[in-house]
Amino acid sequence: MKKMDYQNVKGTQDYLPEAETVRRKIRRTLENVFIQYGCKPLETPILNYTELLASKYAGGAEILEEMYTLSDRGGRDLALRYDLTIPFAKVAAMNPGLKMPFKRYEIGKVFRDGPIKAGRFREFTQCDVDIVGVDSQLAEAELMAMGLEAFRRLGLIVVIQYNNRKLLTGILEVFGVPADNINKAVLILDKLEKVGIGAVIAELSELEVSEAAKRSIERFLTDADNRSLDYFEPYSRGNELVKKGLEELQELMSVIDYLGIDGQCIFNPFLARGLDIYTGTIYELFLTDGSIKSSIGSGGRYDNAIGGLLGTDETFSTVGISFGLDVIYAAIDGKESASESGLDYFVIPLGTGKEALLLANELRADGYRVECDMSGKKLGKLLDKANKDGVRNVIIIGEDEVKKSRYKTKDMVTGEEKVYSYRFE
């Protein structure tokens, strides 16, 4: 018989119990924070119509190249979701009766046929929060504060870089970049920290941007004053997008300063967030220790998505933030172990299998987490297993315990033993 190829599909991964215990702790921590901030749970289908995910209000050309597509028996074009944002926008479009503001969180698998690197796979888990129905920058500020709190609880120190797509788009207009090339120019600027100014200017040349525009962009990229909003004031007088973007950033800065989180939030005028969906404030979260270079979370405002799906020009104020569970796990891996088993008791029978199972079930009925050994291994090996698994309390049941209607617990840390009365019947 030919041996079956049972390797994992490239870009997917199994997580054995020790790793999965840590991952689930991350998930619970994030979920607890989301709930504490008043977010409601939501679940959307992994499988969607290709037309929905390929909408111009969705992820844009770069993500669409990575989208997994398929068809069903009826010949319908389907795709696996590549994020949780557009499926959420679909829910909001399909349910006009939702009470606003509506705050939701969702944790689920998404799929992208993209490059594989540390913490980045083709099947991965995203943890998203979105708010619909808040026009002001209070929504952005709350999500940024929530992100900082979530990572504090995870024991990771992050910094948030933020910008505004209106401001960035308006500046490019002022510099003379043609309207049909602005989104492409934004994508190029998004690579600045990775490739440097020279490579960015060279790539802009391929867009047939004028020499004057290139010189203006180069001055913008190298000007030491561009980290201050005052730098953009002169441009705001002649461009509505710059003016509006500047106003939104000023409002956001006012709120995060008031909340006392301004020291962990940095204005980055070159941050672009390459997705076409964004319409206003954008942000990315980075580890301050640099152990992972790419962002560990990101988000922004996307006011056109829901109205776009409805086929109207109406805007629905929508802002979201997303954390990658896999990249967070990659950051935590090695810093935290799953030494605690999560069990309250490990029951070891010595020739008393059914009696041990009876006691284990009663303890479970009382709310305890209990594992009952069924291997029949020697006591010494089972005590070693309990130690390695981080189980604090072990219950040993032999024939003598059954006859005398009692059982003994052993504290694996202190060695203390206690005897309890119990009728095995």
Side-chain angles (χ1 to χ4, degrees):
M1 179 182 291
K2 182 181 178 182
K3 183 179 179 181
M4 182 181 294
D5 182 6
Y6 51 82
Q7 300 300 312
N8 285 341
V9 173
K10 189 176 181 181
T12 67
Q13 189 169 343
D14 296 315
Y15 294 97
L16 297 180
E18 184 173 353
E20 186 59 16
T21 298
V22 176
R23 286 168 56 82
R24 293 196 179 204
K25 184 177 179 181
I26 296 168
R27 182 183 177 121
R28 282 195 302 272
T29 300
L30 292 175
E31 190 166 18
N32 288 339
V33 172
F34 298 162
I35 292 170
Q36 190 173 12
Y37 274 70
C39 304
K40 307 297 183 186
L42 184 71
E43 184 170 345
T44 58
I46 289 173
L47 201 58
N48 293 269
Y49 287 112
T50 304
E51 184 180 10
L52 170 70
L53 298 182
S55 160
K56 71 175 183 176
Y57 301 100
E62 193 171 16
I63 277 191
L64 294 184
E65 291 177 0
E66 300 178 352
M67 184 168 63
Y68 283 98
T69 58
L70 63 154
S71 60
D72 63 11
R73 293 182 182 182
R76 288 171 282 265
D77 293 326
L78 308 176
L80 303 182
R81 66 186 182 194
Y82 49 74
D83 67 13
L84 301 176
T85 303
I86 293 306
F88 166 66
K90 176 212 67 180
V91 169
M94 290 174 62
N95 296 274
L98 289 172
K99 291 183 180 178
M100 300 295 173
F102 178 58
K103 298 167 71 174
R104 84 83 163 91
Y105 76 89
E106 182 172 7
I107 300 175
K109 294 268 190 170
V110 297
F111 305 84
R112 295 184 192 177
D113 188 8
I116 301 167
K117 54 184 178 180
R120 304 284 182 179
F121 302 100
R122 289 177 177 166
E123 176 189 63
F124 55 101
T125 301
Q126 284 193 189
C127 313
D128 283 22
V129 170
D130 291 87
I131 304 174
V132 184
V134 178
D135 292 332
S136 75
Q137 296 290 300
L138 289 173
E140 281 89 337
E142 180 172 67
L143 292 183
M144 291 165 75
M146 185 191 70
L148 292 172
E149 173 61 15
F151 284 103
R152 184 191 69 78
R153 293 192 195 180
L154 290 168
L156 297 173
I157 302 174
V158 298
V159 63
I160 299 177
Q161 295 185 17
Y162 64 92
N163 195 12
N164 189 286
R165 283 293 285 269
K166 293 186 182 76
L167 182 78
L168 188 57
T169 301
I171 282 291
L172 291 174
E173 281 185 0
V174 171
F175 292 160
V177 177
D180 57 350
N181 275 333
I182 282 182
N183 279 342
K184 294 176 183 177
V186 166
L187 286 173
I188 294 170
L189 288 180
D190 200 38
K191 303 175 185 177
L192 179 64
E193 289 192 11
K194 295 178 183 176
V195 301
I197 292 175
V200 165
I201 297 300
E203 198 166 341
L204 286 171
S205 299
E206 297 177 11
L207 289 182
E208 299 179 356
V209 174
S210 70
E211 288 299 319
K214 281 190 289 184
R215 284 195 298 271
S216 296
I217 292 173
E218 189 166 4
R219 282 196 298 270
F220 169 54
L221 296 178
T222 55
D223 196 316
D225 295 329
N226 59 27
R227 298 281 173 167
S228 167
L229 293 190
D230 293 340
Y231 174 88
F232 298 93
E233 282 287 354
Y235 299 109
S236 70
R237 300 183 195 116
N239 185 281
E240 194 61 30
L241 280 176
V242 175
K243 179 182 177 183
K244 183 61 177 173
L246 196 56
E247 289 171 352
E248 290 178 359
L249 284 170
Q250 288 167 338
E251 181 187 354
L252 176 64
M253 286 182 175
S254 171
V255 179
I256 62 177
D257 179 59
Y258 189 78
L259 294 176
I261 61 173
D262 52 308
Q264 297 164 274
C265 303
I266 300 172
F267 170 56
N268 179 354
F270 314 126
L271 183 69
R273 298 286 298 128
L275 305 184
D276 294 345
I277 190 174
Y278 292 114
T279 59
T281 298
I282 48 176
Y283 35 80
E284 292 190 348
L285 293 82
F286 296 89
L287 290 173
T288 56
D289 66 8
S291 57
I292 292 178
K293 301 300 182 185
S294 58
S295 65
I296 201 165
S298 60
R301 181 169 286 270
Y302 56 105
D303 289 349
N304 295 334
I306 297 172
L309 296 181
L310 289 170
T312 73
D313 293 329
E314 183 181 1
T315 59
F316 292 77
S317 299
T318 315
V319 61
I321 194 166
S322 176
F323 310 114
L325 179 64
D326 304 272
V327 72
I328 293 173
Y329 172 72
I332 288 178
D333 189 24
K335 299 177 184 175
E336 178 176 343
S337 68
S339 57
E340 295 184 8
S341 70
L343 291 175
D344 295 307
Y345 294 104
F346 180 44
V347 181
I348 299 176
L350 302 177
T352 56
K354 63 182 182 181
E355 291 85 359
L357 194 55
L358 177 68
L359 175 60
N361 281 344
E362 277 205 28
L363 290 170
R364 290 164 180 154
D366 289 338
Y368 294 105
R369 297 164 295 180
V370 184
E371 180 184 351
C372 183
D373 179 70
M374 291 179 276
S375 70
K377 292 179 180 177
K378 291 183 179 180
L379 178 59
K381 288 189 175 181
L382 292 174
L383 291 175
D384 286 343
K385 167 182 162 55
N387 266 324
K388 290 176 182 176
D389 290 350
V391 182
R392 180 70 184 258
N393 297 296
V394 169
I395 296 175
I396 302 170
I397 302 174
E399 292 180 1
D400 190 52
E401 281 78 14
V402 173
K403 287 177 183 177
K404 295 179 179 179
S405 298
R406 67 185 187 186
Y407 68 87
K408 181 170 62 177
T409 66
K410 180 180 177 67
D411 188 312
M412 299 301 290
V413 176
T414 66
E416 181 183 4
E417 294 183 348
K418 294 180 180 179
V419 177
Y420 298 89
S421 296
Y422 181 78
R423 292 179 64 85
F424 291 91
E425 56 184 39

